[in-house]
Amino acid sequence: MVQAIFLCLLLLSISLQSSSAQAKNCSSESFSGNRRYSSCNSLPYLGASLHWTYHASDGTVDVAYRAPQSSSGWVAWAINPSGAGMIGANAFLAFPDSATGAVTVWTTQLSTYSPTVQNQNLSFSVYTKAAEYSNGLYTIYATLEVPSNNTKVNVVWQASTQFENGVPNGHSTLGDNVNSQSSLDLLSGHAAPAADNSKQHRKNVRNLL
Ligand SMILES: *[C@@H]1O[C@H](CO)[C@@H](O)[C@H](O)[C@H]1NC(C)=O
Ligand SMILES: *[C@@H]1O[C@H](CO)[C@@H](O)[C@H](O)[C@H]1NC(C)=O
Ligand SMILES: *[C@@H]1O[C@H](CO)[C@@H](O)[C@H](O)[C@H]1NC(C)=O
């Protein structure tokens, strides 16, 4: 009996280890629409990963943020150009539109700890934004201006199932949900499989300028 329980625990811990190892290898993730990125990092909280291609020539970056969530919940990824953490964060939120159920992406500037989230412009230019949901994962895609051309950016991310009037509203304030911030060096990151979507990138930026 004791041995059976021990065996179960052993198998459980092996399977947990291998699933977290899989979740943590960002290089093996792929994206729709032939999107490819030159760098990626597995983020230390909320099972998220960040992929990006930095374009020094025009000070922009293509980003893909991926994180697990139920399809009725929301995820968010933000840059904080003026500090760290939530206050001052310029966020991208992916969630199901309350009317159509289609995945939508909003941008919002967070200035309090209990904001009423609105879809508004950020403090830096956003050239493209999109989001999708597949296999238990949200992915947010964006091309944006790197604020002040500072390649060290403070990022913060979040996940929740709380809504108010169909709009993301509130999240857990424990553990991962408060630890989920870091500093990102756009010039670093794990190399991803060789890729060049800079042609598409230039087209996107041109279309919006
Ligand atoms: C991560 O995935 C890449 C691409 O699939 C592979 O080449 C690499 O060996 C993996 N790294 C680890 C630590 O598993
Ligand atoms: C960043 O630098 C690039 C290249 O010099 C320039 O084109 C771009 O306008 C700059 N962006 C900002 C926000 O100053
Ligand atoms: C948001 O940004 C767009 C593009 O730069 C601009 O045309 C629009 O006027 C801005 N909206 C507000 C409310 O500032």
Side-chain angles (χ1 to χ4, degrees):
M1 181 62 182
V2 171
Q3 274 144 335
I5 290 173
F6 177 75
L7 186 65
C8 283
L9 287 175
L10 187 70
L11 289 174
L12 183 67
S13 92
I14 289 170
S15 73
L16 284 176
Q17 268 169 22
S18 64
S19 70
S20 81
Q22 269 164 19
K24 288 214 151 64
N25 189 351
C26 60
S27 338
S28 56
E29 294 177 331
S30 60
F31 299 95
S32 66
N34 282 325
R35 291 179 178 92
R36 287 174 181 276
Y37 301 89
S38 57
S39 307
C40 72
N41 267 345
S42 299
L43 300 175
Y45 304 103
L46 301 173
S49 65
L50 189 69
H51 299 248
W52 71 95
T53 303
Y54 171 60
H55 304 275
S57 58
D58 61 2
T60 64
V61 63
D62 306 320
V63 173
Y65 170 79
R66 177 166 283 174
Q69 178 58 288
S70 75
S71 60
S72 57
W74 58 265
V75 301
W77 175 80
I79 288 181
N80 190 330
S82 56
M86 180 172 168
I87 302 297
N90 280 238
F92 296 79
L93 296 103
F95 59 98
D97 182 278
S98 60
T100 66
V103 175
T104 184
V105 57
W106 280 19
T107 48
T108 197
Q109 299 192 42
L110 301 167
S111 53
T112 76
Y113 284 115
S114 49
T116 301
V117 169
Q118 293 172 298
N119 193 15
Q120 59 190 184
N121 285 348
L122 298 184
S123 66
F124 46 82
S125 297
V126 175
Y127 300 112
T128 66
K129 58 176 179 170
E132 66 191 21
Y133 187 84
S134 165
N135 296 323
L137 299 161
Y138 272 107
T139 307
I140 296 173
Y141 299 107
T143 295
L144 51 105
E145 168 191 60
V146 177
S148 310
N149 268 327
N150 188 345
T151 53
K152 294 236 171 49
V153 288
N154 286 323
V155 297
V156 51
W157 60 101
Q158 196 52 263
S160 169
T161 53
Q162 298 174 39
F163 288 84
E164 176 106 17
N165 300 324
V167 174
N169 186 291
H171 58 79
S172 164
T173 51
L174 298 170
D176 276 18
N177 297 83
V178 286
N179 291 328
S180 51
Q181 53 179 288
S182 70
S183 174
L184 173 72
D185 183 350
L186 293 175
L187 304 178
S188 78
H190 298 297
D196 182 13
N197 58 353
S198 53
K199 221 180 260 168
Q200 182 63 37
H201 167 84
R202 282 195 298 272
K203 206 171 113 209
N204 288 341
V205 170
R206 211 170 42 236
N207 287 345
L208 273 119
L209 287 178

